[in-house]
C-alpha cells in the first residue's frame, strides 16, 4: 500500500517510522513532513489546512491507498470528511467527532451530560460575565480558551489578580485569537497526570500504553505551557486497577456518548487524565495522537500500525490483538531558544556519535543548502528505550548531550516526575 501521512512534527515522524516497518506499506508520502520524515517518505508541499487542495491532490495521485491525518487542525476543519466523501480511505475522525478536541465547551457539556468525571466548570461568551464570576470564584482557578490554541490556551491562575488578568487577555486582548471568544472557567484539580490514548472504531475501544507529558517549558515545571517538552512511558501510578476504572467510567462512556450524539468517533481518542483523591478525572480530550506522547508510545508497539489503522477504518478493531513491549521509553524534546514565544529559525543542527538504538523524531527541522537546520519551536525528540524509565532516561540524555544548535534548550528532568509516587 502507499500511504499519505498528514502533518510535520515529531509525532508524524514517529508514525512514519512505524509505518515504514510495516510489511503492508510500500511507499510513504508526507504532507508537508520535515527533514527527518523526508529521509523515509516523499514530501508533498501542499498546505494541509486547505482541505480542498488536499482532496484534489489525493484525487490526482491515484497511487495513494490510505491517508493518515495526524494533526488537530485539519481534523477540526473536516479533512477526514473531505477525503472520505471523495471515496478515499482515511485514519482520523470526521469533523463532527473531532469537535471533542476542537471545542472545550462541547467536551465539557458532553462529560456533564453523560456523567463522565471531570472538573466542575462554567462557560462564558461575555467578558463582563466571566469577570464577575472570577471576582468571586474559588482560587486557584483554571481558564481555558474554547478553541484550538496549540496546547497553549490554558491558564492556571493561583491568585485572583492573575485570573482577572487572564480573562482580559483571553477575551478582550485576544491573546489566543478567536479561540478565546468563549472561555471555560474550571475548578482546579490536583494529582498526577497521565495521557491515556486509545484506538477506537466506534464499536470497540482499545487502550495504548500510557505516558506522561511535560507541558511547561522549563525544568521543574516552570515557565509557560508548551505543546509538550518530553514524555515517558508508562505512567507508574496507572496499573490494572486504574486502567479498569478508566475503561469503565471514562473510555467506554465517551465512545458511547459520541455514538449517542450521532458523532461516532473513529481514530485515536486521547484522554488527558488526572488521578485525584476522588478518582480519575478527564482534564482534556484530544481527537488524535499526542505530541510528544506518540514518540514514546509507537516504539513500544509490537503490532503492525498499518493493520491497526485499517482495522479502525473497517470497524473490526474487536478482532485485533494489540501487543506492547514491556519496559519503558523516554523522549526529551530539544527546543529553539524562546519557544513557546518568538524564536529564531535556520540554526544548523550538528550531531556527535549517537547510540545506534536511539530514536530521533524530527519536529521543526528542514534541509537548507545541504545542511540540517531548525525550522520550528520544538526541533527534535530524542527517544530511548530501557528496561525501566530510569535506564531509558539515562540513555536519552546521554544522546541529547551530543546534539547542538544555537539557542538549543531542553528540560533536564524528563522521566523524574512521579519517580517517588506510589506505584500501582
Ligand atoms: P489542557 O490543554 O486542557 O490539557 O491543559 C493544560 C494543562 O493545564 C494540563 O495538562 C494540566 O496540567 C493543567 N490543567 C488543565 N485543567 C486543569 C484543572 N482543572 N486543574 C488543574 N490543572 C489543570
Ligand atoms: N502533548 C499534548 C498534546 O499532544 O496535546
Amino acid at each position: 500500500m502507499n500511504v499519505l501521512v498528514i502533518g510535520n512534527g515529531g509525532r508524524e515522524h514517529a508514525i512514519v517510522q512505524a509505518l515504514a516497518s510495516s510489511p503492508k506499506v510500500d511507499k510513504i508520502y508526507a504532507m508537508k513532513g520535515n527533514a527527518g520524515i523526508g529521509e523515509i517518505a516523499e514530501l508533498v508541499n501542499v498546505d494541509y489546512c486547505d482541505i480542498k487542495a488536499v482532496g484534489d491532490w489525493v484525487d490526482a495521485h491515484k497511487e495513494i491507498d490510505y491517508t493518515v491525518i495526524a494533526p488537530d487542525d485539519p481534523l477540526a476543519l473536516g479533512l477526514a470528511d473531505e477525503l472520505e466523501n471523495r471515496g478515499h480511505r482515511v485514519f482520523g475522525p470526521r469533523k463532527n467527532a473531532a469537535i471533542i478536541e476542537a471545542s472545550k465547551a462541547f467536551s465539557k457539556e458532553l462529560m456533564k451530560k453523560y456523567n463522565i468525571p471531570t472538573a466542575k466548570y462554567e462557560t462564558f461568551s461575555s467578558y463582563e460575565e466571566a469577570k464577575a464570576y472570577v471576582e468571586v470564584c474559588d482560587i486557584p482557578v483554571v481558564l481555558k480558551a474554547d478553541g484550538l490554541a496549540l496546547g497553549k490556551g490554558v491558564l492556571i491562575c493561583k491568585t485572583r489578580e492573575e485570573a482577572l488578568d487572564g480573562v482580559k487577555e483571553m477575551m478582550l486582548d485576544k491573546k489566543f485569537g478567536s479561540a478565546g471568544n468563549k472561555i471555560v472557567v474550571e475548578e482546579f484539580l490536583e494529582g498526577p497526570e497521565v495521557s491515556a490514548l486509545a484506538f477506537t472504531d466506534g464499536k470497540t475501544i482499545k487502550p495504548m500504553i500510557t505516558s506522561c507529558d511535560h507541558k511547561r517549558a522549563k525544568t521543574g515545571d516552570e515557565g509557560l505551557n508548551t505543546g509538550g517538552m518530553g514524555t515517558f512511558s508508562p505512567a507508574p501510578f496507572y496499573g490494572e486497577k486504574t486502567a479498569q476504572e478508566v475503561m469503565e467510567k471514562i473510555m467506554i462512556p465517551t465512545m458511547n456518548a459520541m455514538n449517542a450524539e450521532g458523532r461516532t468517533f473513529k481514530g485515536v481518542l486521547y484522554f488527558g487524565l488526572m488521578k485525584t483523591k476522588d478518582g480519575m478525572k478527564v482534564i482534556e480530550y484530544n481527537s488524535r495522537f499526542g505530541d510528544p506522547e506518540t514518540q514514546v508510545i509507537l516504539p513500544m508497539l509490537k503490532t503492525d500500525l498499518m493493520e491497526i489503522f485499517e482495522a479502525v477504518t473497517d470497524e473490526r478493531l474487536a478482532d485485533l490483538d494489540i501487543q506492547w513491549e514491556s519496559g519503558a521509553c523516554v523522549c526529551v524534546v530539544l527546543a529553539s531558544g524562546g519557544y513557546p514565544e518568538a524564536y529564531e529559525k535556520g540554526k544548523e543542527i550538528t550531531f556527535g556519535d549517537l547510540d545506534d538504538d536511539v530514536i530521533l523524531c524530527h519536529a521543526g527541522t528542514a534541509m537548507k543548502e545541504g545542511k540540517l537546520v531548525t525550522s520550528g519551536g520544538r526541533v527534535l525528540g530524542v527517544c530511548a528505550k530501557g528496561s525501566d524509565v530510569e535506564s531509558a532516561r539515562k540513555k536519552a540524555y546521554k544522546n541529547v548531550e551530543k546534539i547542538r544548535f544555537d539557542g538549543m534548550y531542553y528540560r533536564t528532568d524528563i522521566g523524574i516526575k512521579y519517580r517517588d509516587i506510589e506505584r500501582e
Side-chain angles (χ1 to χ4, degrees):
M1 295 175 71
N2 298 318
V3 182
L4 170 66
V5 176
I6 305 283
N8 44 16
R11 165 185 53 206
E12 287 76 8
H13 195 193
I15 292 172
V16 166
Q17 290 182 59
L19 291 177
S21 72
S22 166
K24 296 186 131 196
V25 175
D26 298 310
K27 183 164 179 189
I28 306 173
Y29 296 78
M31 193 184 277
K32 299 184 169 188
N34 57 37
I37 294 173
E39 287 173 12
I40 315 175
E42 184 172 323
L43 302 185
V44 179
N45 192 13
V46 171
D47 171 11
Y48 58 69
C49 284
D50 183 345
I51 61 173
K52 189 175 170 301
V54 181
D56 290 345
W57 189 89
V58 177
D59 276 349
H61 291 78
K62 302 272 179 259
E63 65 273 26
I64 303 294
D65 300 299
Y66 194 92
T67 301
V68 180
I69 309 168
D72 49 359
D73 292 329
L75 289 169
L77 289 165
L79 182 55
D81 313 47
E82 181 74 24
L83 293 176
E84 282 179 350
N85 294 346
R86 294 174 185 235
H88 302 296
R89 282 162 69 72
V90 169
F91 185 83
R94 285 182 159 249
K95 182 177 178 173
N96 73 347
I99 191 175
I100 198 165
E101 169 170 9
S103 167
K104 296 217 188 262
F106 170 85
S107 68
K108 294 299 291 189
E109 275 155 35
L110 186 84
M111 287 185 272
K112 190 188 253 179
K113 185 168 168 191
Y114 293 92
N115 273 320
I116 297 166
T118 188
K120 294 197 197 78
Y121 73 102
E122 297 285 340
T123 307
F124 297 96
S125 300
S126 136
Y127 168 69
E128 291 305 325
E129 284 171 24
K131 178 167 168 275
Y133 180 81
V134 165
E135 269 164 359
V136 296
C137 73
D138 286 346
I139 297 290
V141 70
V142 181
L143 309 181
K144 298 187 175 183
D146 176 48
L148 296 175
L150 294 171
K152 297 170 203 160
V154 174
L155 297 177
I156 313 281
C157 305
K158 299 244 161 69
T159 65
R160 196 166 308 282
E161 204 179 0
E162 263 177 61
L164 288 167
D165 284 349
V167 172
K168 182 170 168 293
E169 275 179 6
M170 281 188 179
M171 301 192 83
L172 289 187
D173 307 342
K174 300 276 179 228
K175 186 161 182 199
F176 306 110
S178 60
N181 288 351
K182 199 193 263 185
I183 68 165
V184 171
V185 181
E186 196 173 277
E187 169 196 20
F188 175 75
L189 297 176
E190 279 176 289
E193 280 185 66
V194 55
S195 304
L197 281 66
F199 295 106
T200 175
D201 59 4
K203 296 176 173 161
T204 306
I205 185 157
K206 295 213 167 172
M208 304 185 205
I209 48 169
T210 57
S211 57
C212 295
D213 192 9
H214 298 67
K215 289 202 168 139
R216 297 294 196 101
K218 297 190 181 145
T219 301
D221 274 339
E222 301 284 332
L224 295 172
N225 259 330
T226 69
M229 291 296 292
T231 36
F232 63 87
S233 173
F237 55 89
Y238 195 106
E240 282 291 316
K241 188 166 153 280
T242 300
Q244 197 180 341
E245 175 190 338
V246 169
M247 182 50 76
E248 284 168 12
K249 296 195 173 149
I250 296 175
M251 289 190 175
I252 292 175
T254 301
M255 179 181 75
N256 291 342
M258 292 300 276
N259 286 332
E261 294 291 308
R263 297 176 181 274
T264 294
F265 190 104
K266 288 171 69 173
V268 170
L269 249 180
Y270 167 133
F271 301 83
L273 306 175
M274 198 179 266
K275 191 172 197 175
T276 74
K277 59 179 178 9
D278 303 318
M280 296 299 286
K281 293 199 177 176
V282 178
I283 293 288
E284 66 163 344
Y285 288 117
N286 290 325
S287 59
R288 53 171 174 84
F289 280 108
D291 187 344
E293 283 88 343
T294 309
Q295 291 89 313
V296 291
I297 293 173
L298 291 185
M300 307 297 282
L301 177 65
K302 290 206 274 188
T303 309
D304 182 342
L305 182 61
M306 194 63 230
E307 243 184 69
I308 303 176
F309 284 165
E310 290 205 285
V312 168
T313 304
D314 300 335
E315 299 178 13
R316 48 179 176 76
L317 191 58
D319 305 334
L320 197 69
D321 181 26
I322 301 179
Q323 300 269 348
W324 302 94
E325 285 180 27
S326 56
C329 191
V330 169
C331 169
V332 179
V333 170
L334 309 184
S336 298
Y339 173 77
E341 296 193 294
Y343 54 84
E344 289 180 15
K345 297 182 186 175
K347 308 291 183 192
E348 185 179 353
I349 307 167
T350 59
F351 298 90
D353 201 7
L354 301 186
D355 290 333
D356 288 341
D357 53 353
V358 74
I359 305 161
L360 281 186
C361 291
H362 287 232
T365 67
M367 290 305 292
K368 196 174 157 194
E369 291 155 13
K371 286 181 180 158
L372 184 70
V373 298
T374 65
S375 67
R378 292 189 291 178
V379 176
L380 280 170
V382 181
C383 312
K385 292 201 259 187
S387 54
D388 56 16
V389 170
E390 191 50 31
S391 60
R393 180 185 129 67
K394 283 206 179 104
K395 183 165 204 142
Y397 277 107
K398 186 178 133 217
N399 285 279
V400 161
E401 281 161 19
K402 299 176 188 166
I403 304 174
R404 300 243 186 290
F405 54 86
D406 247 15
M408 172 175 120
Y409 89 93
Y410 57 89
R411 281 181 60 154
T412 56
D413 60 350
I414 306 300
I416 288 179
K417 192 156 76 169
Y418 308 143
R419 193 155 61 175
D420 302 324
I421 207 165
E422 196 186 333
R423 302 183 81 82
E424 185 186 287

